[in-house]
Amino acid sequence: FLQLVFHMYTAGFALVNGNGTAKAEEYSLQQKQIFCGLGAITYAACIGALPLVFMNRYTLKSSLTQLVVKKLLPAPLFGLMSAFTVVVVRSPEFENGIEVMDSNGKVVGVSQKAGEKAVKETALSRAVLFGTTFFLPAVLMYFVERAKFAKTPHALASVRMFVVTSVLAGMLPVSLSMFPQCGVIKRADLEPEILSSTEETELFYNRGI
């Protein structure tokens, strides 16, 4: 359930903060994104919960299994699935393209390649944000537990919450600043029809968040 809530939030955030250029052909673009998003949320939640379900189903309680499933797997899984939901929810952007502008802000065309670049950059930043947010606290809490800094389970839970919140607060601006909000793409990387409509060497697009 918690996996479902987490991925529902990240997918909704990606849907609201994407580039709104892409146009629907056979049905509502928003409808398509919602259906794709629901599928991505369900898939991501199942993949995220699968290691724990597998461990509990086959009663794998060894210290090595606990370490791998509870400490090592969550970070890459959360990072990978967060990036996956962004790509699925914002797939119309690289299927139909997004607007590219010249240095004066004039729209010179709609580019699938710019849409692909925007989605890839956003997915990577989301993977770094949540992958690091789940990896660093696990490492830090390992040392806290070994040092016996927190004497009671309640104190340990409080320390864990503080560490997770601190890492998330620190990683959020890092993630948002990995790529500029106003993305840049070289003219040579764009489609032929756009090349013929401008002489500028670099064009710009809204990457989304």
Side-chain angles (χ1 to χ4, degrees):
F1 174 75
L2 294 178
Q3 292 269 353
L4 193 67
V5 171
F6 171 80
H7 290 295
M8 190 177 296
Y9 171 78
T10 57
F13 186 87
L15 179 63
V16 171
N17 293 283
N19 187 298
T21 301
K23 296 178 175 58
E25 295 178 355
E26 298 178 359
Y27 45 84
S28 168
L29 176 64
Q30 186 177 15
Q31 181 184 20
K32 177 181 179 179
Q33 287 180 296
I34 290 174
F35 281 127
C36 289
L38 289 174
I41 290 165
T42 305
Y43 178 79
C46 291
I47 293 297
L50 189 60
L52 284 173
V53 172
F54 184 81
M55 185 182 72
N56 293 330
R57 173 67 176 81
Y58 295 99
T59 62
L60 304 175
K61 302 296 184 181
S62 69
S63 57
L64 178 60
T65 304
Q66 296 277 344
L67 174 66
V68 171
V69 173
K70 292 187 175 181
K71 304 292 184 183
L72 300 181
L73 274 182
L77 278 180
F78 270 110
L80 184 61
M81 289 300 102
S82 297
F84 170 75
T85 55
V86 170
V87 172
V88 173
V89 169
R90 293 181 55 177
S91 59
E93 292 180 32
F94 55 79
E95 290 175 355
N96 301 326
I98 62 175
E99 291 178 345
V100 290
M101 301 159 284
D102 60 19
S103 57
N104 296 318
K106 178 184 176 182
V107 176
V108 297
V110 175
S111 170
Q112 291 177 318
K113 293 183 179 179
E116 182 180 351
K117 189 170 184 286
V119 173
K120 282 183 177 179
E121 289 174 346
T122 306
L124 180 58
S125 67
R126 201 65 53 80
V128 169
L129 171 63
F130 292 114
T132 306
T133 299
F134 283 95
F135 175 72
L136 280 183
V139 173
L140 294 174
M141 288 307 300
Y142 171 77
F143 290 107
V144 169
E145 291 172 6
R146 287 201 62 180
K148 298 182 179 179
F149 178 76
K151 304 295 184 181
T152 65
H154 179 73
L156 190 63
S158 299
V159 172
R160 182 179 290 108
M161 181 63 67
F162 173 77
V163 170
V164 171
T165 304
S166 300
V167 173
L168 180 59
M171 282 304 302
L172 188 58
V174 173
S175 171
L176 294 177
S177 63
M178 283 181 64
F179 303 100
Q181 180 67 37
C182 183
V184 180
I185 186 168
K186 295 186 181 300
R187 178 175 175 270
D189 296 333
L190 294 168
E191 291 84 347
E193 58 270 21
I194 298 178
L195 296 180
S196 61
S197 61
T198 182
E199 294 298 325
E200 296 202 17
T201 57
E202 291 183 337
L203 294 170
F204 306 89
Y205 58 88
N206 175 28
R207 178 176 65 84
I209 302 176

